Amino acid sequence: MILDSLENVHQYEVLHPLFKKAFDFIKHTDFTQLKDGIIETNDPRLYFSIIRLRGKDPQDGVLETHKKFIDIQTPIVGVETIGWKAGNELMIISEPYDDKKDVIFYHDFPRTYTKLYPGQFAIYFPEDGHAPGIGQGDIRKIIAKISVEK
């Protein structure tokens, strides 16, 4: 997991060939002009999901991992707390891997929590268990989904 400010994305763009494209979209898009939903790109290895949710209590957060995609999560409106636990420590699967949705859910509890504010981002790699959607009030966020295949 990586947590940082959008001002520092240049340090991370070298980690994957599509990170720069993803960060450029996140940094230069007026999200007030976009509806919630999926935004496809001309590269099937990269797409975006804009979602709106009501923040939930930490005990209601559900850890998940992915096999095919890396997440870059950025709040647009509201403050989101995301739980984290190393994937190799996740022991109790609540829903087995769904290939279509690229997700596994767990009954485990996060080891730590981070708060994300607008202007910040978190990168979750397949080995990062993360429990998104924790917070208070309305949260609107963008998730860049980037294929682990370069």
Side-chain angles (χ1 to χ4, degrees):
M1 183 199 97
I2 296 171
L3 170 68
D4 205 339
S5 167
L6 288 172
E7 295 174 5
N8 299 322
V9 297
H10 61 279
Q11 297 178 32
Y12 308 102
E13 291 173 346
V14 299
L15 296 177
H16 190 288
L18 292 172
F19 275 16
K20 179 170 179 19
K21 185 174 183 176
F23 281 124
D24 283 349
F25 182 83
I26 292 167
K27 287 174 56 177
H28 303 294
T29 300
D30 179 359
F31 293 104
T32 63
Q33 302 300 312
L34 293 178
K35 294 180 182 180
D36 296 350
I38 303 295
I39 299 169
E40 302 286 341
T41 69
N42 60 358
D43 189 328
R45 300 172 301 156
L46 171 65
Y47 69 93
F48 299 90
S49 179
I50 300 174
I51 62 171
R52 189 178 311 265
L53 58 104
R54 184 89 176 143
K56 55 191 163 199
D57 292 332
Q59 68 270 14
D60 296 325
V62 178
L63 283 161
E64 63 185 59
T65 59
H66 309 289
K67 291 184 178 184
K68 299 177 190 175
F69 287 90
I70 300 164
D71 283 2
I72 300 176
Q73 300 200 20
T74 305
I76 301 166
V77 174
V79 177
E80 181 181 23
T81 298
I82 300 177
W84 178 87
K85 188 173 188 178
N88 63 352
E89 296 178 359
L90 296 169
M91 300 294 168
I92 307 168
I93 295 173
S94 62
E95 291 183 37
Y97 183 66
D98 181 328
D99 186 59
K100 185 176 179 185
K101 295 180 181 178
D102 184 42
V103 67
I104 304 169
F105 292 105
Y106 299 87
H107 278 301
D108 297 61
F109 295 100
R111 283 227 184 262
T112 189
Y113 294 87
T114 55
K115 281 189 176 182
L116 281 176
Y117 295 84
Q120 296 180 325
F121 68 91
I123 301 174
Y124 297 98
F125 295 94
E127 61 271 14
D128 292 314
H130 53 287
I134 299 168
Q136 296 180 341
D138 293 327
I139 299 168
R140 188 170 188 234
K141 66 192 272 186
I142 182 162
I143 306 166
K145 302 292 282 185
I146 301 159
S147 173
V148 294
E149 295 181 16
K150 298 177 181 180

